[in-house]
Amino acid sequence: MPELAQNRPAAGLRADPRVLARERRRERALAFGVYAFLIIVSLPLVAGYGWLVLNSFSTELVHGVWPEGFTLRHWRFLWEPPSDYYPDLWRTTWNTLWLAIGMTVTMVAVATPTAYALSRMKFRGRSLFLALTLILHAFPGITLLIATYYVLRTLGLLNSIPGVFLVKAALMLPLGVWVMKGFYDAISWDVEMSALVDGASRIQTWYKVMLPQVMPGVASISIFSFIYGWSEYIYVITFIQDKNAWTLSSYINSIVGDYRFLDYGLLSATALFYIAPVLLFFFFTQKYLMRVTIGGTKGGS
Amino acid sequence: MSRRQKVALAVLMLPALAVVVAFYAVPAVMTAAMSFTDMDFRLRWNFVGFATFLRMAEDFLLPGILQNTIVYTFATLALFNVGLAVLLALATTFVPDRIGRVFQALWLLPRFTPPIVYGIIWMWILDPTGAGLLNSLVVAAGGRPVNWITDYPMAVIVLTNGIIGASFGMVIFYSAIKSIPRDYSWAALADGATWLQQVRYVTLPLIRWPLLFVTAYQTLSLLTSYEYILIITGGGPYFASTVWSLYAYNLAFGGYFANYEFGYGAALSIVLVVLGTVASIVYWRVFRFRDMMAEPKIEVM
Amino acid sequence: MEATKCRFRWLALALGAFLLVGLGTAAAAQEIVTLRAWTIGPDTPAFYRAENLKLAAERLNQILEAAGADVRVQIEADFWTESWDSFRRRAILAFESGDPETIPDIINSSHLDIPAWAGAGWIVPMDEYIDRYWTWTYQDVFPHLWESVSFDGKRWGVPQDIEVRMVFYRKDHLRALGWSEADIEDLPRRVKDKEFTLDDLMDLGREMRDAGLVEWAFLHRPTAGPDFFQYIVAFGGQYFDAGTGKLVLDRDAVLKTLNFFSTMSQEGLLPKGMTSWPWPTVHRSLVQDETAGIQLTGGMWNWAEWQRDLGVSEDELWENIGFTLIPAGDPEGTPNQLGQPQAYMVTQASQHKDLAALLITLASAVDLNTNHALEGAKLAIRQSQTAFPTFAADEYLAATATLVPDQIFLPSHPASGFYNTVLYDAIGAVETGALRPEQALQQLERRLRAELGDDLIVR
């Protein structure tokens, strides 16, 4: 957009009141349209999650829709397990947290330096590596299950939470690397150049100069990894045999059973218990997450 | 590249290489090898040459499944993962931040929700009797309950996956739009551009890279996704919503009584990887991703 | 006389246990041997599968104490409520790890797992133990249950329970159609004597619908399950050849089965999209909303689940719900019900196989197994249970037990599960109208041949 001027819209540029009124009407119509769009497309989500909340607090949903009678009985699982064969809820919650944190740390530790190299250093195989990460993403995780099982067994990581988060982090790595690379790409060369000219090594430069600048990127991949770690299910249930190492998603799956009979109240309450911390976490960290850049915008068109 | 540079590069890349090789590349290669075996639940490496691939040629279900896969992937991508994602990003940047955040949180909610719970919410919405949300509306309007899953299987899987998929693009596009310098849009306004024109001629071109990245990345994600389809439609009725990765999953682990066709399942996933690779190469060329990876300047000087 | 014999048995048992546990144990302080067991519902009321092993361990410890032994047994029994496929995946990956720390000593699963697990060498034959404890426990186990745990000439497990899969129907709809109480009570007999066939059942469904009593005359389970094989037998077919040990595709009977489901769906008696209904909706429609008339693939344990999960009283169930064998489909067909026995097995990796087998034997005591039968609405495994006071007092168990003689099983073949899946797929296909019955049969045959090759007999 070379011809775009850098000046602000000057007041009184279009002083004609009729034009202004038309503008305002148009703006109002546009605002109305945008809100209407947001509300309408979000309705199924509001209905669905509203249903979860209603279910968890009502004795019955008449015709599956209208709540009747307030109760806290579905929340009993907080102090007494649904049966003797469930692991302790707080231990399970702790495992879930450990998995999410382990996943976050692994992702940051691995993606941050790699993305720097891919963004700022010229070496053979650079674009091949980036392309490869994309292609690996084409491997359906589930079909790797048996092979991954062998790897974990060889490394002695079966039945352990670190085994699960390492595998999961590997699967998410392409995303982390691409996102971090976007943040590095957006940093001006001058900053790095001056550090290098001062005689710092690449690693020092990365660590001391670049890293502080990409903290928003670190924050956003942390949040993504935390959420993915928190909600992981299939690897937990496959690689961990011991119920003491269960996470909340295994807990909920056990409540669902094979769907024949569902205690919708208990299910909704446990699901909300599971979702709530992440939702809170998200509200506090949202401003970091919403800054993810891929490839940057500096190139313009 | 100097020796010091090489050491720096190795230090920066090593963690990622180790993780990718151990937990992704090795399992991927093993899975490729597995596709030449007739491995079953005993996990024996009994090589049978191209038998699994010959079986694929004889499998009369595959043409329909391939067609479903293509329709599912591209319909979900166009309508939701990119289409709705852009609209949501535009809408949430248009409205005040506080309101925008609420809608973003709402749209990210399905990602935090355990798949099984998300599936159960949809089972309630789509219930074939009057007890479901949609059918209670149909009945209230004087209609007869519709069996949504049987009558519109593809629409159901596109919708249910799309609602989850849209948030990924939303996050990335939102960040990209937010990082467009204010001056650009003001300039456009000064030129008398409407909001829509501004979107068309300023915003979209400026978020070109994120758009292309999300398109490519999510194509591959969708190609390999099956989890929500498994829970919501089970791939039915009679394979009408079975996609390639679900079929591979069902052969390995699915069915009333797992089939444990690990060899054939692996062969099917190899085909999926080939499809994904072809798609990646096409995107790489067509979208000229190489341009995005602007050559690092430091080595140039 | 009986009492002395009994006491002698316990003494022998105590001594045996003492020797078993004591062997190789330093005679020092009290030693604790830990055994681990994996059991599965997945229906929650079946938790006695784990609980009974714990109670058995308590009993064993009492005996050990009485005998002055310095050994105690500790059992870590796990009960899985998630799903069959996650349980099986967990089991095979544990077995495959070869790690005795991971592999349990005792595993409980369906008798259908025996061919695969025995073939892989993961579980051990139990004939030796069954013979050893024959007189004081196993002699009165219903003989046909031993067939279900046999494979390759050996018995690989001990039957844990057995159920009946049958047809449930709403009696109140029959009354509304003018049936007298006597007619209603006589229905199961007429089914058994082939006086009431699947054709009559279909007519009954039509009457219910035409009278506006039901939205859907028929429902069936919305997931694959062994129940559908019952219809092949009802239409005079077979699915297994005991002589060769091969699976059988009886084209004529399978086609009749497919036609049966296809007709119901075409006439609007059964939802076209039956296979995509959620499970809870199936139960609710029959028991709570009364919008359905007949459940073609019921399981006797539903009775317990309806009371516990839908809050329907047992009196209400007796008033409104009746049950019967699957009626014969044609003159050569057999009215039947299918049972899927569960079994306890001892793993190859167990370090304490003898002790595990002893614990299983103690858990098979009449009173303990009856706890399970009552809680989970399952049938007895031993003849003496039918005379056990709490069992005999249960009207429902007594009524369903009369169906036992007409019981069939799925064959002990590793590909039973696959057959199951493809049969269910074919039924779903004809119901939705995706395929005509002939086409569905043809596709079913192709899929079976691709999987089984020469291991399939087509008739």
Side-chain angles (χ1 to χ4, degrees):
Chain A
M1 302 279 143
E3 73 279 272
L4 277 182
Q6 295 289 310
N7 53 347
R8 307 277 151 97
L13 195 70
R14 290 180 301 267
D16 184 346
R18 273 202 332 241
V19 174
L20 275 179
R22 204 172 56 216
E23 285 278 280
R24 251 193 315 252
R25 269 205 308 279
R26 214 170 61 179
E27 234 163 71
R28 230 177 291 147
L30 177 64
F32 177 80
V34 170
Y35 278 108
F37 162 77
L38 275 177
I39 291 169
I40 289 170
V41 296
S42 307
L43 271 181
L45 285 167
V46 175
Y49 287 88
W51 177 73
L52 270 191
V53 175
L54 288 181
N55 250 325
S56 77
F57 289 110
S58 359
T59 44
E60 205 194 328
L61 288 187
V62 181
H63 302 303
V65 184
W66 296 113
E68 202 180 72
F70 177 83
T71 178
L72 283 178
R73 119 185 109 92
H74 305 308
W75 292 87
R76 266 174 324 186
F77 72 98
L78 290 176
W79 57 91
E80 64 175 38
S83 91
D84 292 349
Y85 296 96
Y86 280 80
D88 180 63
L89 178 71
W90 302 104
R91 183 180 186 139
T92 308
T93 310
W94 167 249
N95 289 338
T96 317
L97 191 67
W98 167 212
L99 175 60
I101 291 174
M103 166 100 185
T104 309
V105 170
T106 314
M107 271 295 276
V108 170
V110 173
T112 319
T114 308
Y116 170 74
L118 289 170
S119 166
R120 299 300 230 218
M121 295 171 87
K122 189 178 170 186
F123 57 92
R124 244 188 327 157
R126 173 171 165 274
S127 61
L128 183 71
F129 186 85
L130 274 170
L132 205 68
T133 54
L134 262 190
I135 289 171
L136 278 177
H137 183 57
F139 250 104
I142 188 77
T143 54
L144 295 178
L145 216 54
I146 296 295
T148 316
Y149 169 84
Y150 276 107
V151 171
L152 288 181
R153 195 172 81 179
T154 311
L155 298 176
L157 285 170
L158 278 182
N159 273 324
S160 76
I161 294 212
V164 175
F165 66 63
L166 283 171
V167 171
K168 186 73 182 164
L171 292 178
M172 264 196 74
L173 197 63
L175 180 65
V177 166
W178 279 82
V179 168
M180 281 312 293
K181 183 180 166 298
F183 279 91
Y184 285 114
D185 285 350
I187 296 172
S188 126
W189 284 98
D190 306 338
V191 183
E192 193 175 4
M193 215 76 91
S194 58
L196 287 172
V197 168
D198 287 350
S201 74
R202 282 315 281 261
I203 294 193
Q204 282 168 327
T205 314
W206 164 64
Y207 187 73
K208 291 198 176 135
V209 180
M210 299 297 274
L211 204 52
Q213 302 224 34
V214 294
M215 280 326 261
V218 172
S220 57
I221 62 166
S222 302
I223 297 162
F224 254 120
S225 337
F226 188 89
I227 289 169
Y228 276 97
W230 184 266
S231 54
E232 178 48 33
Y233 162 68
I234 192 83
Y235 294 102
V236 174
I237 208 91
T238 308
F239 297 137
I240 295 183
Q241 309 285 357
D242 185 357
K243 274 188 179 170
N244 285 323
W246 261 16
T247 64
L248 285 172
S249 55
S250 347
Y251 198 90
I252 288 178
N253 274 268
S254 191
I255 285 172
V256 173
D258 62 354
Y259 313 89
R260 281 206 310 233
F261 278 94
L262 273 182
D263 185 341
Y264 283 113
L266 174 64
L267 171 73
S268 308
T270 43
L272 290 173
F273 175 80
Y274 179 70
I275 302 169
V278 196
L279 198 60
L280 273 181
F281 174 77
F282 175 73
F283 267 116
F284 286 112
T285 55
Q286 193 171 14
K287 60 172 188 267
Y288 299 105
L289 181 64
M290 302 313 277
R291 279 194 214 156
V292 181
T293 47
I294 300 282
T297 52
K298 63 192 160 69
S301 53
Chain B
M1 201 186 273
S2 71
R3 211 184 125 76
R4 236 179 95 190
Q5 293 267 357
K6 277 184 185 152
V7 172
L9 182 66
V11 170
L12 293 166
M13 293 291 290
L14 213 58
L17 281 175
V19 171
V20 167
V21 168
F23 298 107
Y24 220 146
V26 169
V29 170
M30 282 175 76
T31 305
M34 208 189 282
S35 69
F36 294 97
T37 70
D38 64 356
M39 185 183 282
D40 63 6
F41 62 94
R42 279 166 295 213
L43 306 187
R44 287 193 191 134
W45 293 82
N46 179 25
F47 286 89
V48 291
F50 286 89
T52 52
F53 293 93
L54 291 175
R55 180 168 167 190
M56 215 178 292
E58 305 239 301
D59 194 332
F60 60 91
L61 293 169
L62 283 178
I65 289 170
L66 181 63
Q67 191 191 330
N68 290 344
T69 311
I70 291 168
V71 171
Y72 159 75
T73 304
F74 291 101
T76 316
L77 188 72
L79 295 174
F80 291 94
N81 291 28
V82 174
L84 183 63
V86 169
L87 291 177
L88 283 171
L90 288 171
T92 52
T93 43
F94 179 87
V95 302
D97 261 2
R98 258 190 312 163
I99 297 173
R101 276 190 197 169
V102 172
F103 281 103
Q104 283 160 1
L106 191 62
W107 279 87
L108 276 156
L109 207 48
R111 249 179 224 282
F112 312 151
T113 309
I116 197 107
V117 175
Y118 181 76
I120 283 167
I121 291 176
W122 279 102
M123 282 183 202
W124 166 68
I125 295 178
L126 302 171
D127 193 286
T129 66
L133 176 68
L134 280 181
N135 277 327
S136 67
L137 299 176
V138 170
V139 171
R144 210 181 133 84
V146 179
N147 192 333
W148 306 97
I149 291 174
T150 314
D151 295 353
Y152 311 100
M154 286 307 284
V156 166
I157 65 169
V158 167
L159 176 73
T160 50
N161 278 278
I163 283 185
I164 295 182
S167 57
F168 180 83
M170 176 187 78
V171 170
I172 288 174
F173 301 147
Y174 173 90
S175 320
I177 295 172
K178 277 286 178 185
S179 65
I180 295 173
R182 272 279 139 118
D183 298 349
Y184 282 27
S185 28
W186 270 317
L189 280 180
D191 290 351
T194 65
W195 184 70
L196 281 179
Q197 285 169 330
Q198 186 192 325
V199 166
R200 170 69 188 81
Y201 296 105
V202 181
T203 316
L204 289 184
L206 283 177
I207 63 167
R208 177 168 162 245
W209 284 127
L211 267 172
L212 299 182
F213 173 79
V214 169
T215 305
Y217 191 82
Q218 296 278 282
T219 304
L220 300 182
S221 306
L222 284 167
L223 262 182
T224 60
S225 66
Y226 67 92
E227 206 172 357
Y228 296 99
I229 305 177
L230 174 68
I231 294 169
I232 294 168
T233 71
Y238 201 60
F239 302 100
S241 59
T242 298
V243 297
W244 199 280
S245 53
L246 177 63
Y247 191 57
Y249 169 83
N250 270 333
L251 281 165
F253 293 114
Y256 166 70
F257 196 87
N259 307 313
Y260 304 126
E261 294 266 10
F262 295 132
Y264 190 41
L268 286 167
S269 47
I270 293 301
V271 171
L272 203 57
V273 174
V274 171
L275 286 178
T277 310
V278 170
S280 309
I281 292 170
V282 169
Y283 282 136
W284 201 266
R285 286 277 154 80
V286 174
F287 294 169
R288 284 182 293 185
F289 274 114
R290 194 175 288 277
D291 295 354
M292 175 156 67
M293 302 193 303
E295 285 294 314
K297 289 175 189 158
I298 288 181
E299 270 79 15
V300 178
M301 62 174 260
Chain C
M1 175 65 198
E2 191 60 36
T4 8
K5 218 161 111 190
C6 209
R7 207 173 306 141
F8 172 72
R9 271 184 213 155
W10 284 112
L11 201 68
L13 169 63
L15 216 64
F18 175 68
L19 285 174
L20 283 175
V21 181
L23 281 179
T25 312
Q30 201 174 71
E31 198 199 341
I32 294 180
V33 176
T34 303
L35 289 179
R36 293 185 312 111
W38 284 1
T39 67
I40 170 164
D43 43 326
T44 326
F47 63 88
Y48 269 107
R49 285 181 188 142
E51 207 62 32
N52 281 347
L53 290 170
K54 292 186 188 168
L55 295 170
E58 267 174 39
R59 290 182 181 182
L60 183 54
N61 285 335
Q62 281 171 9
I63 296 167
L64 290 169
E65 197 177 344
D70 292 330
V71 183
R72 295 293 179 270
V73 174
Q74 195 188 351
I75 177 110
E76 290 171 7
D78 183 44
F79 177 62
W80 197 252
T81 55
E82 216 201 277
S83 60
W84 275 108
D85 58 322
S86 67
F87 182 75
R88 291 196 169 103
R89 183 160 66 230
R90 181 180 184 231
I92 66 164
L93 291 181
F95 283 136
E96 189 54 31
S97 76
D99 174 13
E101 296 284 302
T102 306
I103 305 172
D105 299 276
I106 297 172
I107 189 160
N108 141 249
S109 193
S110 159
H111 80 109
L112 288 175
D113 287 304
I114 286 176
W117 293 1
W122 292 334
I123 52 175
V124 294
M126 292 193 68
D127 293 284
E128 184 195 337
Y129 307 109
I130 294 164
D131 292 340
R132 186 186 298 169
Y133 305 125
W134 184 257
T135 47
W136 58 271
T137 297
Y138 296 126
Q139 59 168 335
D140 70 337
V141 169
F142 289 109
H144 69 293
L145 293 179
W146 291 120
E147 280 165 40
S148 73
V149 295
S150 297
F151 172 71
D152 215 6
K154 297 192 188 86
R155 287 168 293 182
W156 299 82
V158 167
Q160 190 274 332
D161 79 2
I162 174 72
E163 23 64 326
V164 170
R165 288 161 196 255
M166 56 199 180
V167 170
F168 282 113
Y169 50 89
R170 287 206 68 95
K171 294 183 191 171
D172 49 349
H173 293 334
L174 297 186
R175 284 182 206 113
L177 290 174
W179 288 43
S180 71
E181 287 305 316
D183 290 343
I184 294 174
E185 293 313 313
D186 197 34
L187 180 60
R189 184 202 59 79
R190 287 170 61 204
V191 168
K192 190 173 161 63
D193 294 343
K194 294 206 212 178
E195 289 169 22
F196 188 92
T197 62
L198 284 176
D199 283 338
D200 301 316
L201 192 71
M202 184 107 77
D203 284 337
L204 182 59
R206 291 187 186 110
E207 285 176 44
M208 284 183 184
R209 188 214 29 209
D210 296 343
L213 294 167
V214 291
E215 199 163 323
W216 301 109
F218 297 100
L219 296 178
H220 64 67
R221 61 181 297 159
T223 54
D227 316 59
F228 298 99
F229 284 97
Q230 293 176 286
Y231 288 87
I232 297 182
V233 174
F235 282 110
Q238 276 182 320
Y239 45 74
F240 184 61
D241 182 70
T244 54
K246 289 181 179 179
L247 291 174
V248 173
L249 173 64
D250 192 322
R251 301 176 67 166
D252 190 40
V254 172
L255 187 60
K256 283 176 183 165
T257 304
L258 294 173
N259 275 321
F260 175 68
F261 287 99
S262 162
T263 308
M264 282 191 291
S265 144
Q266 276 176 2
E267 293 190 16
L269 298 168
L270 176 99
K272 264 179 71 178
M274 188 68 243
T275 49
S276 49
W277 274 41
W279 250 125
T281 308
V282 175
H283 287 301
R284 214 187 48 231
S285 302
L286 182 77
V287 177
Q288 248 175 354
D289 301 351
E290 301 163 26
T291 50
I294 295 162
Q295 150 66 303
L296 294 165
T297 57
M300 66 172 289
W301 64 92
N302 293 156
W303 199 263
E305 290 173 317
W306 290 334
Q307 291 172 52
R308 197 195 46 146
D309 296 303
L310 297 180
V312 183
S313 74
E314 187 168 5
D315 288 341
E316 272 176 78
L317 290 178
W318 278 115
E319 177 67 17
N320 294 324
I321 306 277
F323 44 87
T324 174
L325 299 172
I326 312 293
D330 56 26
E332 301 102 79
T334 319
N336 66 84
Q337 52 93 353
L338 184 138
Q340 196 140 257
Q342 293 277 312
Y344 284 126
M345 299 159 233
V346 174
T347 63
Q348 179 64 49
S350 171
Q351 310 282 312
H352 307 281
K353 295 189 184 66
D354 288 348
L355 204 50
L358 178 57
L359 214 52
I360 291 172
T361 308
L362 286 167
S364 307
V366 168
D367 59 330
L368 296 187
N369 197 273
T370 301
N371 286 343
H372 173 70
L374 291 170
E375 185 69 33
K378 299 289 169 85
L379 282 184
I381 52 163
R382 299 173 58 179
Q383 263 138 10
S384 44
Q385 269 176 284
T386 52
F388 194 73
T390 49
F391 189 96
D394 192 285
E395 203 184 340
Y396 180 68
L397 293 184
T400 43
T402 61
L403 304 177
V404 166
D406 301 291
Q407 189 147 56
I408 58 171
F409 300 124
L410 276 199
S412 286
H413 191 286
S416 286
F418 184 79
Y419 197 167
N420 207 322
T421 308
V422 294
L423 176 63
Y424 177 73
D425 283 344
I427 289 172
V430 296
E431 284 175 356
T432 54
L435 298 177
R436 282 179 288 108
E438 295 76 18
Q439 291 173 314
L441 174 65
Q442 197 193 352
Q443 297 204 354
L444 183 151
E445 184 177 337
R446 284 182 70 180
R447 291 178 74 193
L448 276 180
R449 280 187 192 278
E451 171 75 19
L452 287 158
D454 295 338
D455 217 8
L456 178 76
I457 300 172
V458 179
R459 286 182 188 148

